[in-house]
Amino acid sequence: MAASAQTPAAPLTAEQAKAVLAEVIKAFGAPENAQRMEEARDNACNDMGKMLQFLLPVATQIQQDVIKAYGFSSDGEGVLKFARLIKSYESQDPEIAGMSGKLKAMFLPPMTLPPHGAGTGGVATS
């Protein structure tokens, strides 16, 4: 049985998390990464299933390349831990919340709510 020698990510302060988040966002803007994301977007054709298949792995890899230098594992679990850490600071720091939204917008399609049916606004008509 292999021993799991995973070291937990070093806890980051809000300021450190903000700096790492800024670095991740900057990495998405690097020409080679922007091109990789654009190719993945083209392959996905605005199809949610294909977004998960093509875009998410590229976005995850770009994040992994940055966050591994800050003690996060360089796998999907590291990205999830980083995302949870950022989420925990969103309510405390509006700047982190804004940066997190910007990051998500880089690889998640905009979510549109289905329109409410006419006359179903919760007002009883009689």
Side-chain angles (χ1 to χ4, degrees):
M1 190 162 126
S4 177
Q6 253 187 317
T7 55
L12 301 175
T13 65
E15 286 305 310
Q16 289 169 323
K18 197 182 300 183
V20 177
L21 191 53
E23 199 174 321
V24 169
I25 290 169
K26 185 178 173 188
F28 273 90
E32 65 276 7
N33 290 335
Q35 182 178 349
R36 289 171 60 200
M37 289 294 289
E38 191 58 39
E39 288 171 4
R41 247 185 229 101
D42 289 347
N43 288 333
C45 303
N46 282 335
D47 177 286
M48 182 54 89
K50 288 183 179 179
M51 288 275 191
L52 294 173
Q53 182 182 358
F54 294 115
L55 200 59
L56 202 55
V58 174
T60 300
Q61 183 64 53
I62 292 168
Q63 290 181 72
Q64 286 170 353
D65 289 345
V66 174
I67 66 173
K68 67 184 177 188
Y70 296 93
F72 293 91
S73 59
S74 60
D75 57 12
E77 186 62 30
V79 172
L80 291 175
K81 285 180 181 175
F82 177 68
R84 284 193 292 266
L85 177 72
I86 295 302
K87 184 91 177 137
S88 73
Y89 284 128
E90 283 179 0
S91 61
Q92 302 166 31
D93 189 319
E95 193 177 349
I96 288 178
M99 292 169 75
S100 177
K102 183 178 179 181
L103 175 61
K104 289 174 190 161
M106 292 176 169
F107 61 89
L108 292 176
M111 299 301 284
T112 53
L113 295 173
H116 292 291
T120 59
V123 178
T125 55
S126 52

